[in-house]
């Protein structure tokens, strides 16, 4: 196996482990995956970690993300009996969370686009 891929996978794993440790210290429940993303964002933003340090492995993981959802889907099918009598509530929660996720993603992307335009304007270069 390519050592570069192993090194990149090690960096990602280390970020996940650090996030797990941080979350274990928090007095409230917080997803370690979100903590890991925040740490990764900070490291990339402060240029401590460069995109090239994790590029190939991250691209592979993103392109094969569907594999992660197969066990979850199978688990849901196995426990479908638990939804008996709660289907309406489940569908409402699913639809509301879908809309909120969409809106949150939209607002985040727009915010990043506005920030990038402002940064490009300060640098003197304009993309159009």
């Amino acid at each position: 196996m390519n050592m570069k891929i192993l090194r990149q996978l090690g960096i990602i794993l280390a970020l996940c482990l650090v996030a797990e440790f941080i979350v274990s210290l928090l007095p409230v429940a917080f997803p370690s995956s979100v903590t890991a993303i925040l740490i990764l964002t900070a490291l990339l933003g402060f240029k401590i970690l460069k995109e090239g340090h994790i590029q190939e492995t991250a691209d592979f993981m993103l392109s094969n993300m569907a594999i992660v959802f197969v066990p979850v889907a199978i688990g849901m099918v196995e426990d479908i009996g638990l939804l008996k009598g709660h289907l309406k509530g489940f569908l409402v929660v699913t639809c509301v969370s879908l809309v909120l996720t969409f809106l949150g993603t939209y607002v985040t992307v727009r915010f990043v686009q506005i920030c990038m335009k402002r940064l490009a304007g300060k640098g003197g270069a304009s993309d159009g």
Side-chain angles (χ1 to χ4, degrees), residues 57-110:
T57 302
D59 286 344
F60 173 79
M61 292 170 113
L62 282 172
S63 64
N64 294 292
M65 194 182 304
I67 295 170
V68 175
F69 295 104
V70 171
V72 174
I74 292 171
M76 284 180 64
V77 170
E78 288 178 350
D79 295 330
I80 200 78
L82 296 174
L83 286 177
K84 194 178 283 183
H86 303 286
L87 186 60
K88 190 187 304 182
F90 176 76
L91 290 175
V92 168
V93 168
T94 301
C95 291
V96 168
S97 64
L98 175 74
V99 170
L100 290 177
T101 301
F102 174 77
L103 290 174
T105 303
Y106 172 77
V107 168
T108 303
V109 168
R110 290 298 301 152

Side-chain angles (χ1 to χ4, degrees), residues 10-96:
I11 291 170
I12 294 170
L13 178 63
L15 287 171
C16 291
L17 291 173
V18 168
E20 285 287 342
F21 176 72
I22 290 171
V23 166
S24 72
L25 299 176
L26 295 176
V28 294
F30 196 79
S32 60
S33 57
V34 174
T35 306
I37 290 171
L38 292 174
I39 294 169
L40 178 61
T41 302
L43 291 174
L44 289 169
F46 290 119
K47 300 191 185 331
I48 296 169
L49 187 67
K50 292 185 175 43
E51 189 178 327
H53 290 140
I54 57 169
Q55 183 74 45
E56 289 87 359
T57 302
D59 286 344
F60 173 79
M61 292 170 113
L62 282 172
S63 64
N64 294 292
M65 194 182 304
I67 295 170
V68 175
F69 295 104
V70 171
V72 174
I74 292 171
M76 284 180 64
V77 170
E78 288 178 350
D79 295 330
I80 200 78
L82 296 174
L83 286 177
K84 194 178 283 183
H86 303 286
L87 186 60
K88 190 187 304 182
F90 176 76
L91 290 175
V92 168
V93 168
T94 301
C95 291
V96 168

